[in-house]
Amino acid sequence: MKNIIFLAPPAAGKGTCSEILKKEFNYEHISTGAILRSEIASQSSLGNEIKSNIEKGNLVDDSLMIKLIENKLTNINNSFILDGFPRTINQAYSLDNLFKELNIENYIVIYLNIDKSLALKRTLGRMTCPKCGKGYNIYFDGFKPNKDGYCDICNEALSKRSDDNEESFNNRFETYINSTLPILKFY
Ligand code: ADP
């Protein structure tokens, strides 16, 4: 089974596709955004350090992210999906070196592309169940919860990511165009 790297603008569906592939083929889903959000939720020193950066839609430091991925991949036995890494050309070079060190050759890069207005609508409508992690979108049929504001599975009140507002989205999209999109050429 091939390891997968997703490259995509914010809210293109990396996380959703990863979860489907995980269920179907038992992939290990490595979402850097989810790892960082759980650091923030646990109020670890790392979490406190990166919180305002993430809320504003800025990238977290390359060196920190590279270390995080190094730790993850060094201890992995399963086929994996990278959802959210690499996001800069520097991260892509580091990942390339890491793959060489770990003899990982079996991978593909999948580029998901959506336009900015659709990405914004998806971002503003995105809701998640804090208990089971299931994602919803209040603006799209098929993704709306059965009962407004509550999870279909656990009936928990759904929550919104603090960076899913228009200002942070615009910043994330701009960063994507400037820092992440150039990686396409590299692959
Ligand atoms: P989305 O793709 O919807 O923007 P993610 O959950 O992938 O959301 O990422 C959320 C935030 O986490 C990013 O805006 C960024 O601040 C931070 N982040 C995630 N992955 C990386 C990375 N590889 N490098 C730097 N920052 C990252």
Side-chain angles (χ1 to χ4, degrees):
M1 219 159 61
K2 284 197 189 298
N3 301 301
I4 296 173
I5 298 172
F6 275 122
L7 279 187
K14 295 179 272 106
T16 306
C17 291
S18 300
E19 282 302 308
I20 293 168
L21 290 166
K22 177 181 172 176
K23 242 190 221 149
E24 195 75 20
F25 302 107
N26 213 20
Y27 272 102
E28 176 111 10
H29 176 197
I30 304 174
S31 159
T32 45
I35 295 169
L36 298 174
R37 281 187 289 280
S38 84
E39 288 290 336
I40 293 173
S42 74
Q43 301 188 326
S44 66
S45 58
L46 170 62
N48 294 334
E49 199 183 310
I50 60 180
K51 188 170 189 273
S52 78
N53 231 4
I54 293 197
E55 278 173 359
K56 288 183 204 142
N58 296 328
L59 290 180
V60 172
D61 223 41
D62 270 349
S63 57
L64 205 151
M65 294 309 302
I66 290 161
K67 195 159 278 160
L68 192 150
I69 286 297
E70 246 173 46
N71 286 340
K72 277 271 163 201
L73 293 186
T74 308
N75 300 306
I76 210 159
N77 299 312
N78 250 7
S79 297
F80 59 83
I81 299 174
L82 287 182
D83 160 6
F85 190 98
R87 252 181 162 97
T88 64
I89 195 74
N90 209 356
Q91 292 180 14
Y93 290 147
S94 302
L95 186 64
D96 206 47
N97 286 333
L98 186 63
F99 278 180
K100 283 189 182 118
E101 266 171 45
L102 301 173
N103 287 319
I104 297 172
E105 291 172 344
N106 185 25
Y107 67 93
I108 51 168
V109 179
I110 299 178
Y111 171 47
L112 298 177
N113 191 14
I114 59 168
D115 66 33
K116 188 177 174 185
S117 59
L118 181 58
L120 174 63
K121 191 173 173 191
R122 287 196 188 171
T123 298
L124 297 182
R126 180 152 66 180
M127 304 282 283
T128 314
C129 174
K131 201 167 165 195
C132 71
K134 186 171 163 53
Y136 296 88
N137 202 299
I138 58 170
Y139 295 140
F140 296 90
D141 289 338
F143 290 90
K144 295 175 183 170
N146 294 328
K147 184 172 134 198
D148 269 0
Y150 291 89
C151 180
D152 294 350
I153 299 165
C154 23
N155 207 31
E156 189 82 9
L158 300 176
S159 64
K160 214 173 147 49
R161 271 169 49 178
S162 58
D163 61 341
D164 276 348
N165 56 69
E166 189 158 355
E167 199 184 344
S168 173
F169 168 84
N170 282 330
N171 197 12
R172 275 148 67 199
F173 202 89
E174 182 90 7
T175 305
Y176 164 75
I177 299 288
N178 295 329
S179 304
T180 308
L181 208 50
I183 301 176
L184 266 187
K185 230 187 196 159
F186 172 73
Y187 286 120

